[in-house]
Amino acid sequence: MLLIADSGSTKTDWRLVDEEGKTINSVQCKGLNPYFLTEAEIAKIIKNEVTPIASEVDKVIFYGAGCGLPVKVEQVKSAIESVISVKYPTEVYGDILGAARSLLQDQKGITCILGTGANSCVYDGHEIINNVPSLGYILADWGSGTVLCKDLIALILQQKLDPEIIADFHATFDMDTRQILDKIYNKPQANRFLASFTPFLLKHADNPSCQDIIKDNFRKFFDYYVIPYGPQNMDLPISFTGSIAYHFCDFLEEVATEFGIKIKSIVQHPMSGLVKYHCQTVPAIK
């Protein structure tokens, strides 16, 4: 049995599959980003929410946000192996490699993530060969749910959006400025808090001011996360995964056209592609 995990900053999808890729069981838990959770916290969440479906597992393959540095990889790997018994060593990779393997399998291309966070890479059909620095939502992550909603909240608190939108916001969330700022500056996982307003932005996506937020973010995304790969890579197929890319696909494709880029595919969740990759394209257990 193979247990595959796809973890963002907001949630983690787990899929238990047999050698042919047939789903035996699945479960979802909170995001397990090692930048926001300790090893002990990650282990506790997995023990409580994942081990009930993981009594017979040969191997665990984990793709996660925040798993770009070796020290973070070891932190997650140790947490998993402390609560799940496996026959083969656990493998932990960054979420961007998971996205590339899911969307492109063994083909070359550019893969992008637009969810709670943002990222991209050039993939050679097996590994990442180029990747712009992932600087997080304070310094980058344009187009992500966190930064889109950060910009939205800023305009709401500055009273710079239509009064109807501002009134709807306060009626929907019943939070004053002090409470919002406390959540952002004094509470843990501010990125998840900010991204939680994505449905509200989507609700008002037909408003010109909200469209400006969305399109401006996507333009910055292409400027930072795609264009730097150079003209030699612009002919490669480019694919997206993540809730933001999926739900705001019309705006994403419109901005891509401005840059002369044609998007090959937009997939909300990468798990099905990961199952195919590890069970058919490059079997994880031979």
Side-chain angles (χ1 to χ4, degrees), residues 226-246:
V226 178
I227 299 303
Y229 295 133
Q232 69 275 16
N233 288 310
M234 290 303 104
D235 288 334
L236 291 173
I238 179 169
S239 299
F240 283 78
T241 187
S243 58
I244 296 299
Y246 182 80

Side-chain angles (χ1 to χ4, degrees), residues 67 144 167 184 186 266 279 284:
C67 295
S144 69
I184 294 172
N186 298 324
I266 299 174
C279 294

Side-chain angles (χ1 to χ4, degrees), residues 69 76 88 102 110 121 123 143 147-148 157 172 180 187 195 215 256 278:
L69 296 176
V76 173
Y88 300 100
S102 170
I110 295 175
C121 73
Y123 177 71
V147 176
L148 281 168
L157 298 185
T172 301
I180 293 171
K187 303 298 182 183
K215 292 179 184 179
H278 286 293

Side-chain angles (χ1 to χ4, degrees), residues 188-199:
Q189 299 185 337
N191 62 325
R192 290 175 58 185
F193 169 72
L194 286 166
S196 70
F197 296 106
T198 299

Side-chain angles (χ1 to χ4, degrees), residues 2-250:
L2 179 64
L3 183 61
I4 303 174
D6 170 57
S7 181
S9 292
T10 300
K11 62 180 176 64
T12 303
D13 290 320
W14 297 82
R15 185 83 63 90
L16 181 66
V17 298
D18 63 18
E19 293 181 0
E20 297 179 351
K22 179 182 178 181
T23 297
I24 306 302
N25 215 329
S26 62
V27 71
Q28 187 178 97
C29 70
K30 67 188 293 185
L32 301 176
N33 191 321
Y35 278 93
F36 303 127
L37 297 172
T38 66
E39 180 179 322
E41 289 171 331
I42 293 172
K44 182 178 179 180
I45 293 169
I46 295 173
K47 180 179 180 180
N48 292 339
E49 302 184 36
V50 182
T51 54
I53 72 163
S55 58
E56 297 182 11
V57 177
D58 293 305
K59 188 173 187 178
V60 177
I61 301 179
F62 183 98
Y63 294 95
C67 295
L69 296 176
V71 64
K72 298 301 181 182
V73 168
E74 288 304 314
Q75 180 179 332
V76 173
K77 182 178 179 180
S78 179
I80 292 171
E81 294 185 338
S82 71
V83 293
I84 298 179
S85 298
V86 291
K87 183 177 180 180
Y88 300 100
T90 296
E91 297 179 14
V92 176
Y93 304 102
D95 59 345
I96 188 61
L97 179 60
R101 288 177 170 175
S102 170
L103 296 171
L104 299 171
Q105 299 294 303
D106 57 358
Q107 303 300 307
K108 297 179 180 179
I110 295 175
T111 295
C112 304
I113 294 176
L114 276 176
T116 300
N119 207 342
S120 73
C121 73
V122 180
Y123 177 71
D124 68 357
H126 180 62
E127 299 290 347
I128 293 171
I129 58 173
N130 201 351
N131 181 219
V132 297
S134 182
L135 304 177
Y137 71 95
I138 293 178
L139 299 178
D141 277 9
W142 295 285
S144 69
T146 300
V147 176
L148 281 168
C149 294
K150 176 174 68 72
D151 292 350
L152 172 72
I153 298 300
L155 292 180
I156 288 174
L157 298 185
Q158 295 168 21
Q159 301 289 310
K160 290 184 177 180
L161 286 183
D162 292 350
E164 294 82 4
I165 294 179
I166 295 174
D168 187 32
F169 178 86
H170 290 296
T172 301
F173 299 105
D174 192 26
M175 300 178 71
D176 60 24
T177 300
R178 180 188 58 80
Q179 291 170 314
I180 293 171
L181 295 180
D182 182 59
K183 286 277 191 178
I184 294 172
Y185 293 109
N186 298 324
K187 303 298 182 183
Q189 299 185 337
N191 62 325
R192 290 175 58 185
F193 169 72
L194 286 166
S196 70
F197 296 106
T198 299
F200 184 84
L201 178 60
L202 185 60
K203 175 183 177 181
H204 293 282
D206 59 345
N207 177 272
S209 295
C210 291
Q211 289 187 8
D212 287 343
I213 294 172
I214 297 164
K215 292 179 184 179
D216 182 60
N217 262 269
F218 287 163
R219 291 184 185 106
K220 290 177 179 177
F221 175 88
F222 281 103
D223 271 334
Y224 181 77
Y225 287 100
V226 178
I227 299 303
Y229 295 133
Q232 69 275 16
N233 288 310
M234 290 303 104
D235 288 334
L236 291 173
I238 179 169
S239 299
F240 283 78
T241 187
S243 58
I244 296 299
Y246 182 80
H247 290 295
F248 295 89
C249 61
D250 290 343

